[in-house]
Amino acid sequence: QHEHSVPSLLLQAEDSHSELRACARWLRGRLAEDQTARLAVIVPDIAAQRAAIERTFRAILAPEMQNIAAPTDSGPFEFSLGIQLDRTPMVATALDILRWCAGALSLDRVSALLLSPYFAAGRRDAATSSQDELTARAEFDAFVLRDRPLLQPQMNADELASLLSHPRFAAQLVELRLYLRTFTAAMRRSAVARDRSHAEWSTLFQEMLDAAGWAPVAGLDSMEFQTRSKWEAVLDELASLDFDPQSARVPFKAAFDALVRIASQTLFAPESRHAPVQIMGPLESAGSSFDALWFLRAGDLSWPPVPSLNPLLPYSLQRDFAMPGADIAEDTTHALHITHRIAASAGDAVFSYARETADGRQRPAPLLSSLNLQAATVPHEDSEVVPIPLDRLLDNTPVPAPPAVALRGGASVLEAQAACAFRAFAERRLFSTPLDSVSLGLNPQDRGTIVHNVLHGFWTQVRSQAELRAMAIADRDALLTQCIESAFAREHPKPAAGWPSAYMDAERERLFRLLRPWLHFEATSRPPFVVKSSEEELQAVPIGPLHLNIRVDRIDETVPAISSEKPAEIILDYKTGFADPAGWEGDRPDAPQLPLYAIASAAPQLAAIAFASIRPGKFMGLSGYQSQNGILPNAKRGQTLDLLAKRDEWRHALTALAEDFHAGRALALPKDYPRTCRYCRQRLLCRLDPSSLAPSDDTNPDDTNGTLYASALEPETQA
């Protein structure tokens, strides 16, 4: 043991995170002074603190380990206490593969398998090929699997194999396709539904993992090899359950549950690398000596831990035998002995605690009063930051123009440019887009697409209001039902049995109850009209220097009262959510879609442009601008104007936006802060300082009830 003087420091930190960072900086300083020093970090509840400690120590002690390709066991610190085997990535992958044998996995777990280096890993010795395939799997997961119209966020192995059978995946996902075919064939041969002994299940489990290409021995590093060896010991322990005569033959679920239980009760600790920093619990440190140590979480809420009584033994018996938790004085004496032993095990010891914790404010542990520590406070990190002078470079290189082809996105390009030029540049020129979240059932975009398809099918057969009025109510309902069935058959042809099928039936009924009143409104509340086109696609529509592909929901024509008059166009845009024509106004319109349709129209006369709000109750109707009274039912004052002159005004505004986008003008200047930035997903790129923007006077940060900015800020979620 060291010749030891009384430890000198008891540090108080503001919070747990500051305490951890102070400890990591202290360790870094000690290692810089002496790389051969033996250092220890003592933590009372190491299992609960492990993730936070590892995250902080990686960032400060070994920043090179932040590289995702860095070995996980290369840092200057290691934990002496193992973790549950089922929490290691390799074994977690194995358990998910075996769960797949019994049925579908959640989509998140399927994604985890695709991205795991331990699934379908038959060519791990070929590093370049393996990395290329993992990249291809990540792209498949992001752009194919996550884009599947699933009513339940889950998938079985056969469904994934069927999806991967498409020829376009043959070149990049060779190993995945091969092992998935082998795995599904092995599942069909294995007869998982049959009862077996534990030993037979143990053998079959490993055969299924081998068929799935799980963690082949070739190419495993030392820690992975030790993990696989521990897994094989777990399978051996599962086979040993056959010594119980009560469990001769069991079904798959019982055997798998036993396997999970054994894996969760098995601790895995890789062989020590003798790292200079050892992280351990108070009891594990017994008999060890160090050059210096840091005792974390030495507050009165954390140390000493309060032992609990055994609920299965009488209290008197536990008290007589001085069992933990039965005698407070005995427990305190024991904890005091451990504290003094830890303090004496190093030449330099530091105890620390956080003043503020999730459980409340705390003080130093009373046991530390006998150590005669000198109190100190963890200094703020800001005092250690040295500002680095920045080099200023003049970036006057012009941004290359986009290719001279029709741009994808249509009006959404101008919509993003109007909201914020940088957002449009990031999304449409840099293609910076986040992954779409997976929702249960139909999301708003799916519902909007089905509404479009139903109405397109209906008006393809019923070409005018006169035909609509001539139909009997029963015939109209029958045709609407037929169009709904056709739309669902196109978008979701084969829903699974059970609740997905019932859910789709409910969606059909909901859609019928939504569109039936809408057709009644069109038949009774509007002046006579003829449907000129529905869901018409216009290719390469010129707007300034850009060419955009757009799709016009519907164009109607008026029926003139006098035969000598020419019909005028009514341009409609279906909306199942909130929509307001005020979003068409200004140099930076929030909803430029209908103005763009009006510009693209070659009609000599425009009777109206309007949102067709297909919403129940009082919200249902047409809202927009008309060239003369009576075209739009219940039009408000100010909504009758010269649409041809208005079209020229819109052309000027949208052309200016198109020119700015084409020229690469990408200034981070949101139209209306903070609402414009509320749903923007480019904040990591623009690095806009929110304090530099003053909110508008009329901004209501709590306004979530249909603002004008919904269409300009959120992803397309409306019809």
Side-chain angles (χ1 to χ4, degrees):
Q1 295 229 346
H2 297 279
E3 293 184 3
H4 179 70
S5 58
V6 176
S8 59
L9 284 180
L10 171 62
L11 291 183
Q12 172 188 285
E14 185 64 26
D15 53 38
S16 300
H17 182 64
S18 300
E19 183 187 6
L20 268 183
R21 292 185 64 83
C23 176
R25 294 197 304 272
W26 178 82
L27 291 169
R28 185 178 61 188
R30 297 300 298 247
L31 289 176
E33 295 174 1
D34 182 4
Q35 295 184 359
T36 63
R38 297 190 69 250
L39 307 176
V41 177
I42 312 298
V43 192
D45 188 3
I46 191 171
Q49 306 287 335
R50 182 177 184 130
I53 293 173
E54 184 167 9
R55 184 168 55 249
T56 303
F57 282 19
R58 274 174 177 261
I60 296 178
L61 275 180
E64 68 277 2
M65 292 180 66
Q66 300 293 77
N67 186 342
I68 194 171
T72 57
D73 57 348
S74 61
F77 61 90
E78 65 179 346
F79 292 85
S80 61
L81 182 67
I83 62 174
Q84 293 172 299
L85 185 64
D86 64 332
R87 295 189 178 182
T88 60
M90 180 186 292
V91 174
T93 300
L95 294 176
D96 278 342
I97 293 173
L98 296 179
R99 286 190 185 95
W100 225 2
C101 296
L105 277 181
S106 69
L107 205 58
D108 288 340
R109 301 314 308 160
V110 175
S111 294
L113 283 179
L114 289 176
L115 303 181
S116 171
Y118 305 114
F119 173 61
R123 296 175 62 186
R124 292 197 53 174
D125 53 329
T128 304
S129 174
S130 176
Q131 190 59 43
D132 290 343
E133 173 140 343
L134 284 176
T135 302
R137 290 190 202 179
E139 293 177 351
F140 172 82
D141 173 63
F143 303 115
V144 179
L145 185 64
R146 293 282 175 170
D147 199 37
R148 298 286 295 166
L150 300 175
L151 295 179
Q152 285 180 298
Q154 61 184 29
M155 180 173 286
N156 60 42
D158 286 322
E159 291 171 339
L160 183 60
S162 176
L163 182 60
L164 284 166
S165 64
H166 195 281
R168 64 180 171 138
F169 304 125
Q172 294 180 314
L173 298 173
V174 177
E175 297 296 330
L176 179 61
R177 286 159 50 98
L178 172 64
Y179 278 102
L180 201 55
R181 284 198 302 267
T182 306
F183 176 63
T184 53
M187 279 198 305
R188 286 188 285 271
R189 291 194 307 267
S190 63
V192 175
R194 197 179 73 189
D195 291 358
R196 304 171 188 267
S197 67
H198 287 95
E200 291 173 337
W201 281 120
S202 176
T203 302
L204 182 60
F205 287 160
Q206 189 58 54
E207 289 175 356
M208 300 303 296
L209 293 177
D210 292 340
W214 173 78
V217 175
L220 296 181
D221 60 27
S222 174
M223 181 178 293
E224 291 171 335
F225 186 81
Q226 294 176 58
T227 307
R228 183 179 173 110
S229 298
K230 199 72 171 180
W231 167 259
E232 292 170 352
V234 167
L235 290 178
D236 291 340
E237 186 173 346
L238 175 68
S240 70
L241 296 181
D242 285 336
F243 287 104
D244 180 4
Q246 300 298 323
S247 58
R249 304 185 72 81
V250 295
F252 173 89
K253 185 178 185 307
F256 181 75
D257 289 345
L259 179 70
V260 172
R261 183 175 64 254
I262 295 171
S264 65
Q265 295 173 353
T266 301
L267 287 181
F268 171 70
E271 296 178 0
S272 175
R273 298 180 286 108
H274 304 291
V277 178
Q278 296 290 317
I279 307 170
M280 57 184 62
L283 297 179
E284 297 172 83
S285 64
S288 301
S289 61
F290 310 97
D291 296 320
L293 67 83
W294 185 299
F295 192 104
L296 286 167
R297 313 305 192 222
D300 59 351
L301 298 179
S302 305
W303 181 254
V306 180
S308 58
L309 291 169
N310 190 313
L312 303 179
L313 297 176
Y315 171 74
S316 58
L317 179 65
Q318 298 185 61
R319 182 188 57 196
D320 293 341
F321 284 91
M323 295 181 65
D327 189 330
I328 296 178
E330 183 68 24
D331 293 337
T332 303
T333 302
H334 180 63
L336 184 62
H337 172 73
I338 293 175
T339 305
H340 280 272
R341 187 257 301 160
I342 290 174
S345 64
D348 185 13
V350 178
F351 292 77
S352 67
Y353 70 98
R355 187 169 62 89
E356 298 289 345
T357 69
D359 297 324
R361 186 180 290 254
Q362 66 173 351
R363 295 171 295 181
L367 298 179
L368 302 181
S369 59
S370 61
L371 296 179
N372 192 24
L373 302 175
Q374 180 181 353
T377 303
V378 172
H380 290 289
E381 292 188 60
D382 295 342
S383 61
E384 302 178 7
V385 175
V386 178
I388 300 175
L390 301 179
D391 294 331
R392 295 186 176 274
L393 301 176
L394 179 61
D395 185 8
N396 54 6
T397 304
V399 177
V405 296
L407 299 180
R408 297 178 58 186
S412 62
V413 174
L414 304 178
E415 187 176 316
Q417 184 72 23
C420 178
F422 182 83
R423 173 183 171 180
F425 184 82
E427 292 182 352
R428 305 297 174 176
R429 301 286 292 273
L430 302 181
F431 303 102
S432 169
T433 55
L435 296 180
D436 293 332
S437 58
V438 179
S439 60
L440 189 63
L442 301 179
N443 58 37
Q445 185 175 359
D446 293 333
R447 291 192 176 99
T449 299
I450 292 176
V451 167
H452 277 252
N453 292 338
V454 172
L455 291 177
H456 173 62
F458 186 90
W459 290 111
T460 299
Q461 301 185 54
V462 181
R463 302 299 305 178
S464 68
Q465 186 193 59
E467 291 184 35
L468 180 64
R469 289 179 174 178
M471 296 178 70
I473 298 297
D475 294 338
R476 183 193 304 174
D477 291 347
L479 180 57
L480 177 60
T481 301
Q482 177 187 337
C483 293
I484 291 174
E485 292 295 333
S486 299
F488 275 89
R490 174 182 174 183
E491 298 296 330
H492 301 279
K494 295 180 180 180
W499 85 260
S501 179
Y503 171 80
M504 297 304 297
D505 291 340
E507 282 292 329
R508 291 185 180 90
E509 179 65 21
R510 182 196 66 83
L511 197 56
F512 181 84
R513 292 177 180 272
L514 175 68
L515 295 181
R516 191 173 190 264
W518 171 253
L519 295 178
H520 177 75
F521 166 82
E522 296 234 62
T524 60
S525 300
R526 293 185 57 189
F529 63 86
V530 174
V531 178
K532 179 181 178 181
S533 66
S534 175
E535 302 295 334
E536 180 182 5
E537 294 187 6
L538 303 179
Q539 303 293 328
V541 175
I543 181 71
L546 302 182
H547 290 80
L548 305 177
N549 294 335
I550 62 176
R551 176 182 292 177
V552 185
D553 293 354
R554 191 168 124 202
I555 300 177
D556 293 349
E557 284 185 340
T558 59
V559 177
I562 303 174
S563 59
S564 60
E565 293 182 355
K566 294 184 178 180
E569 284 190 353
I570 303 171
I571 303 176
L572 301 180
D573 187 30
Y574 296 132
K575 290 293 180 184
T576 56
F578 178 84
D580 192 326
W584 304 337
E585 300 301 326
D587 294 335
R588 298 170 66 178
D590 298 304
Q593 191 171 14
L594 267 172
L596 181 61
Y597 295 168
I599 295 172
S601 172
Q605 293 186 356
L606 280 178
I609 68 168
F611 287 126
S613 296
I614 308 175
R615 305 177 68 189
K618 64 179 182 179
F619 300 105
M620 182 173 290
L622 301 177
S623 58
Y625 296 154
Q626 58 186 357
S627 60
Q628 59 184 357
N629 293 329
I631 296 177
L632 299 181
N634 303 319
K636 299 179 182 178
R637 179 180 298 179
Q639 292 185 335
T640 302
L641 43 81
D642 184 353
L643 284 180
L644 295 181
K646 192 68 176 177
R647 183 164 61 179
D648 293 337
E649 179 182 326
W650 286 331
R651 180 179 287 107
H652 176 77
L654 298 187
T655 299
L657 292 175
E659 290 172 346
D660 287 345
F661 178 83
H662 186 270
R665 298 187 180 97
L667 183 63
L669 185 61
K671 176 182 177 181
D672 189 358
Y673 179 83
R675 283 190 286 188
T676 303
C677 300
R678 183 179 299 170
Y679 299 104
C680 180
R681 302 180 183 183
Q682 307 300 331
R683 297 294 294 276
L684 290 177
L685 284 179
C686 78
R687 297 184 296 175
L688 186 65
D689 181 8
S691 64
S692 66
L693 297 174
S696 303
D697 294 337
D698 60 345
T699 297
N700 178 9
D702 297 325
D703 177 21
T704 57
N705 184 18
T707 66
L708 301 182
Y709 308 90
S711 63
L713 302 178
E714 300 181 38
E716 184 64 31
T717 58
Q718 300 173 349

